[in-house]
Amino acid sequence: MYIGAHVSTRGGYLGAAKKAFSIGATAFQYFPMNPRSLSTKSLNLGDAEACAQFSRNHGMLSIGHAPYPLNPAVDDGERNRMVQLLTNGLEITEACGSIGLVVHFGKYVGKDPLQGYKNIIQCLNSATRAYQGPSLILLENQAGEGAQLGLTWEEMVQVRKLCEQPLKVGFCLDTCHAFASGLWRGYDWKELEARGEILEYLPHLKALHLNDSVYPYGSRRDRHANIGTGYIGNENVQQLLASKYVKHIPIVLETRTASDGTHRDEIALVKSLVNTNH
Protein backbone atom coordinates (compact mmCIF):
# COMPACT_ATOMS: atom_id res chain seq x y z
CA MET A 1 0.00 0.00 0.00
CA TYR A 2 1.05 3.60 -0.61
CA ILE A 3 1.37 5.32 2.77
CA GLY A 4 3.00 8.64 3.52
CA ALA A 5 2.50 12.25 4.56
CA HIS A 6 2.35 15.85 3.45
CA VAL A 7 5.89 17.15 2.90
CA SER A 8 7.44 20.57 2.35
CA THR A 9 8.62 21.79 -1.06
CA ARG A 10 11.30 24.05 0.45
CA GLY A 11 13.87 21.92 -1.34
CA GLY A 12 11.81 21.89 -4.55
CA TYR A 13 9.58 19.12 -5.86
CA LEU A 14 12.45 16.64 -6.09
CA GLY A 15 13.38 17.58 -2.53
CA ALA A 16 9.82 16.77 -1.42
CA ALA A 17 9.98 13.32 -3.01
CA LYS A 18 13.38 12.62 -1.43
CA LYS A 19 12.16 13.81 1.97
CA ALA A 20 9.16 11.46 1.75
CA PHE A 21 11.37 8.54 0.76
CA SER A 22 13.79 9.24 3.61
CA ILE A 23 11.04 8.79 6.25
CA GLY A 24 9.77 5.48 4.86
CA ALA A 25 6.88 6.89 2.82
CA THR A 26 5.62 5.38 -0.42
CA ALA A 27 3.17 8.27 -0.95
CA PHE A 28 3.36 12.00 -0.40
CA GLN A 29 1.43 15.22 -0.82
CA TYR A 30 2.87 18.68 -1.49
CA PHE A 31 1.77 22.21 -2.35
CA PRO A 32 2.51 22.90 -6.04
CA MET A 33 2.37 26.64 -5.27
CA ASN A 34 2.05 28.99 -2.28
CA PRO A 35 -0.73 27.49 -0.10
CA ARG A 36 -1.85 30.86 1.28
CA SER A 37 -1.97 32.83 -1.95
CA LEU A 38 -4.01 33.17 -5.13
CA SER A 39 -0.81 33.61 -7.15
CA THR A 40 0.07 31.21 -9.94
CA LYS A 41 3.58 29.76 -10.08
CA SER A 42 5.92 29.39 -13.04
CA LEU A 43 6.81 25.75 -13.55
CA ASN A 44 10.40 24.61 -13.01
CA LEU A 45 10.13 21.75 -15.48
CA GLY A 46 13.52 20.23 -14.68
CA ASP A 47 12.76 20.01 -10.96
CA ALA A 48 9.25 18.65 -11.58
CA GLU A 49 10.45 15.99 -14.04
CA ALA A 50 13.19 14.95 -11.61
CA CYS A 51 10.49 14.53 -8.94
CA ALA A 52 8.45 12.36 -11.33
CA GLN A 53 11.48 10.23 -12.21
CA PHE A 54 12.52 9.75 -8.57
CA SER A 55 8.96 8.75 -7.64
CA ARG A 56 8.82 6.21 -10.48
CA ASN A 57 12.21 4.78 -9.56
CA HIS A 58 11.12 4.25 -5.94
CA GLY A 59 7.52 3.14 -6.56
CA MET A 60 5.98 6.22 -4.94
CA LEU A 61 2.63 7.90 -5.63
CA SER A 62 1.97 11.59 -5.07
CA ILE A 63 -0.77 14.22 -5.06
CA GLY A 64 -0.66 18.00 -5.03
CA HIS A 65 -2.88 20.11 -2.78
CA ALA A 66 -4.42 23.32 -4.12
CA PRO A 67 -3.92 26.60 -2.22
CA TYR A 68 -6.44 27.14 0.59
CA PRO A 69 -7.99 30.29 -0.95
CA LEU A 70 -8.90 28.36 -4.13
CA ASN A 71 -12.69 28.23 -3.93
CA PRO A 72 -14.54 26.72 -6.91
CA ALA A 73 -17.91 27.88 -5.51
CA VAL A 74 -17.26 31.62 -6.05
CA ASP A 75 -19.47 33.70 -8.33
CA ASP A 76 -18.69 34.71 -11.93
CA GLY A 77 -16.53 37.74 -11.16
CA GLU A 78 -13.90 35.70 -9.30
CA ARG A 79 -14.08 32.53 -11.35
CA ASN A 80 -11.31 33.31 -13.85
CA ARG A 81 -8.76 33.57 -11.04
CA MET A 82 -9.82 30.19 -9.65
CA VAL A 83 -9.66 28.57 -13.10
CA GLN A 84 -6.15 29.96 -13.65
CA LEU A 85 -5.04 28.54 -10.30
CA LEU A 86 -6.64 25.17 -11.04
CA THR A 87 -5.02 24.82 -14.46
CA ASN A 88 -1.64 25.98 -13.11
CA GLY A 89 -1.85 23.39 -10.31
CA LEU A 90 -2.84 20.65 -12.74
CA GLU A 91 0.08 21.47 -15.06
CA ILE A 92 2.54 21.31 -12.14
CA THR A 93 1.12 18.06 -10.73
CA GLU A 94 1.25 16.50 -14.18
CA ALA A 95 4.92 17.47 -14.56
CA CYS A 96 5.66 16.04 -11.09
CA GLY A 97 4.09 12.73 -12.11
CA SER A 98 1.28 13.09 -9.57
CA ILE A 99 -2.21 11.59 -9.77
CA GLY A 100 -3.91 14.92 -9.42
CA LEU A 101 -4.64 18.12 -7.50
CA VAL A 102 -6.72 17.98 -4.31
CA VAL A 103 -9.29 20.80 -4.26
CA HIS A 104 -11.64 21.59 -1.37
CA PHE A 105 -15.25 21.28 -2.56
CA GLY A 106 -15.93 24.99 -2.04
CA LYS A 107 -17.60 27.51 0.26
CA TYR A 108 -20.60 29.51 -0.90
CA VAL A 109 -21.82 32.50 1.11
CA GLY A 110 -24.95 33.33 -0.88
CA LYS A 111 -28.50 32.50 0.18
CA ASP A 112 -29.13 29.83 -2.46
CA PRO A 113 -26.83 26.80 -2.02
CA LEU A 114 -27.94 25.56 -5.44
CA GLN A 115 -26.06 28.49 -6.97
CA GLY A 116 -22.96 27.31 -5.11
CA TYR A 117 -23.18 23.90 -6.77
CA LYS A 118 -23.72 25.52 -10.17
CA ASN A 119 -20.65 27.70 -9.62
CA ILE A 120 -18.52 24.66 -8.74
CA ILE A 121 -19.62 22.82 -11.87
CA GLN A 122 -18.96 25.85 -14.09
CA CYS A 123 -15.52 26.34 -12.53
CA LEU A 124 -14.60 22.67 -13.05
CA ASN A 125 -15.89 22.80 -16.63
CA SER A 126 -13.76 25.86 -17.43
CA ALA A 127 -10.68 24.25 -15.90
CA THR A 128 -11.11 20.93 -17.72
CA ARG A 129 -11.61 22.77 -21.01
CA ALA A 130 -8.41 24.75 -20.46
CA TYR A 131 -6.28 21.82 -19.24
CA GLN A 132 -6.06 18.72 -21.45
CA GLY A 133 -3.51 16.59 -19.55
CA PRO A 134 -3.90 13.43 -17.42
CA SER A 135 -3.75 15.04 -13.95
CA LEU A 136 -7.12 14.85 -12.17
CA ILE A 137 -9.09 17.35 -10.10
CA LEU A 138 -9.62 15.53 -6.78
CA LEU A 139 -12.60 16.97 -4.91
CA GLU A 140 -12.18 16.79 -1.14
CA ASN A 141 -15.10 16.41 1.27
CA GLN A 142 -15.50 19.12 3.90
CA ALA A 143 -16.00 19.09 7.66
CA GLY A 144 -18.89 21.56 7.72
CA GLU A 145 -16.95 24.38 9.36
CA GLY A 146 -18.20 27.65 7.89
CA ALA A 147 -19.79 25.97 4.86
CA GLN A 148 -22.46 23.36 4.42
CA LEU A 149 -21.46 22.18 0.93
CA GLY A 150 -19.46 19.05 0.25
CA LEU A 151 -20.38 17.11 3.38
CA THR A 152 -22.04 14.15 1.66
CA TRP A 153 -21.01 11.67 -1.00
CA GLU A 154 -24.33 12.26 -2.80
CA GLU A 155 -23.37 15.91 -3.47
CA MET A 156 -19.91 15.06 -4.66
CA VAL A 157 -21.08 12.30 -7.00
CA GLN A 158 -23.82 14.51 -8.44
CA VAL A 159 -21.44 17.41 -9.11
CA ARG A 160 -18.99 15.06 -10.83
CA LYS A 161 -21.77 13.56 -12.98
CA LEU A 162 -22.96 17.01 -14.06
CA CYS A 163 -19.49 18.08 -15.21
CA GLU A 164 -18.82 18.11 -18.95
CA GLN A 165 -15.79 15.84 -18.48
CA PRO A 166 -16.39 13.69 -15.37
CA LEU A 167 -13.43 11.45 -16.24
CA LYS A 168 -11.15 14.38 -15.32
CA VAL A 169 -12.65 14.55 -11.82
CA GLY A 170 -12.03 12.14 -8.95
CA PHE A 171 -12.34 12.23 -5.17
CA CYS A 172 -10.07 12.59 -2.15
CA LEU A 173 -11.61 11.41 1.12
CA ASP A 174 -10.51 13.15 4.32
CA THR A 175 -11.28 10.92 7.31
CA CYS A 176 -11.32 13.72 9.89
CA HIS A 177 -13.70 15.76 7.72
CA ALA A 178 -15.91 12.70 7.16
CA PHE A 179 -16.10 12.11 10.93
CA ALA A 180 -16.64 15.77 11.82
CA SER A 181 -19.38 16.26 9.20
CA GLY A 182 -21.38 13.24 10.32
CA LEU A 183 -20.67 11.21 7.18
CA TRP A 184 -18.65 8.49 8.98
CA ARG A 185 -19.26 7.41 12.57
CA GLY A 186 -15.90 5.68 12.75
CA TYR A 187 -17.18 2.21 13.62
CA ASP A 188 -19.49 1.87 10.58
CA TRP A 189 -17.01 1.73 7.68
CA LYS A 190 -18.52 -1.49 6.24
CA GLU A 191 -21.97 0.12 5.92
CA LEU A 192 -20.50 3.33 4.54
CA GLU A 193 -18.43 1.39 2.02
CA ALA A 194 -21.53 -0.44 0.75
CA ARG A 195 -23.26 2.93 0.28
CA GLY A 196 -20.20 4.39 -1.43
CA GLU A 197 -20.28 1.56 -3.96
CA ILE A 198 -23.97 2.05 -4.75
CA LEU A 199 -23.54 5.82 -5.09
CA GLU A 200 -20.47 5.30 -7.32
CA TYR A 201 -18.28 7.43 -5.05
CA LEU A 202 -15.68 4.84 -4.07
CA PRO A 203 -14.90 3.63 -7.62
CA HIS A 204 -13.64 7.19 -8.28
CA LEU A 205 -11.71 7.56 -5.01
CA LYS A 206 -8.13 8.47 -6.01
CA ALA A 207 -6.57 9.57 -2.69
CA LEU A 208 -7.09 9.37 1.08
CA HIS A 209 -6.24 11.98 3.71
CA LEU A 210 -5.79 9.84 6.82
CA ASN A 211 -6.38 11.96 9.92
CA ASP A 212 -7.84 11.29 13.36
CA SER A 213 -10.17 13.94 14.84
CA VAL A 214 -9.53 16.20 17.83
CA TYR A 215 -13.29 16.65 18.29
CA PRO A 216 -16.17 14.14 18.57
CA TYR A 217 -18.35 12.79 15.77
CA GLY A 218 -20.55 15.40 14.11
CA SER A 219 -18.70 18.36 15.67
CA ARG A 220 -18.35 20.16 12.29
CA ARG A 221 -14.86 21.16 13.46
CA ASP A 222 -11.87 20.59 11.19
CA ARG A 223 -9.07 19.74 13.62
CA HIS A 224 -6.79 16.86 12.68
CA ALA A 225 -5.36 14.62 15.38
CA ASN A 226 -2.49 12.18 14.98
CA ILE A 227 -3.57 8.60 14.28
CA GLY A 228 -4.78 6.85 17.42
CA THR A 229 -4.87 10.04 19.54
CA GLY A 230 -8.32 11.35 18.60
CA TYR A 231 -11.97 10.34 18.64
CA ILE A 232 -11.78 8.02 15.62
CA GLY A 233 -9.23 5.62 17.12
CA ASN A 234 -6.94 2.94 15.73
CA GLU A 235 -9.58 0.21 15.51
CA ASN A 236 -11.80 2.25 13.20
CA VAL A 237 -8.84 3.42 11.12
CA GLN A 238 -7.80 -0.20 10.78
CA GLN A 239 -11.23 -1.20 9.46
CA LEU A 240 -11.01 1.53 6.80
CA LEU A 241 -7.47 0.49 5.83
CA ALA A 242 -8.77 -3.03 5.12
CA SER A 243 -10.97 -1.64 2.31
CA LYS A 244 -10.12 -2.69 -1.24
CA TYR A 245 -10.69 0.92 -2.31
CA VAL A 246 -7.58 2.20 -0.51
CA LYS A 247 -5.18 -0.57 -1.58
CA HIS A 248 -3.75 1.21 -4.63
CA ILE A 249 -4.17 4.93 -3.90
CA PRO A 250 -1.97 7.38 -1.97
CA ILE A 251 -2.80 7.44 1.75
CA VAL A 252 -1.48 10.70 3.17
CA LEU A 253 -1.19 11.92 6.76
CA GLU A 254 -1.96 15.61 7.37
CA THR A 255 -1.13 15.56 11.06
CA ARG A 256 1.43 17.21 13.35
CA THR A 257 5.00 16.06 12.89
CA ALA A 258 6.79 14.30 15.76
CA SER A 259 9.69 15.74 17.76
CA ASP A 260 12.08 14.79 14.94
CA GLY A 261 10.10 17.05 12.58
CA THR A 262 8.82 14.13 10.47
CA HIS A 263 5.99 11.59 10.20
CA ARG A 264 8.39 8.63 10.25
CA ASP A 265 6.91 6.98 13.39
CA GLU A 266 3.31 7.67 12.40
CA ILE A 267 3.85 6.15 8.95
CA ALA A 268 5.29 3.07 10.67
CA LEU A 269 2.21 2.96 12.92
CA VAL A 270 -0.17 3.09 9.93
CA LYS A 271 1.82 0.34 8.22
CA SER A 272 1.52 -1.78 11.37
CA LEU A 273 -2.27 -1.28 11.38
CA VAL A 274 -2.36 -2.49 7.76
CA ASN A 275 -0.17 -5.51 8.54
CA THR A 276 -2.38 -6.50 11.47
CA ASN A 277 -5.30 -6.67 9.03
CA HIS A 278 -3.62 -9.46 7.04
Side-chain angles (χ1 to χ4, degrees), residues 172-185:
C172 173
L173 176 66
D174 186 299
T175 56
C176 172
H177 298 178
F179 188 72
S181 69
L183 172 66
W184 178 42
R185 292 179 178 275

Side-chain angles (χ1 to χ4, degrees), residues 24 41-42 48 57 62 72 76 85 120 202 239 265 269:
K41 183 172 179 177
S42 56
N57 291 349
S62 67
D76 293 2
L85 263 188
I120 293 168
L202 287 172
Q239 191 181 57
D265 291 343
L269 168 64

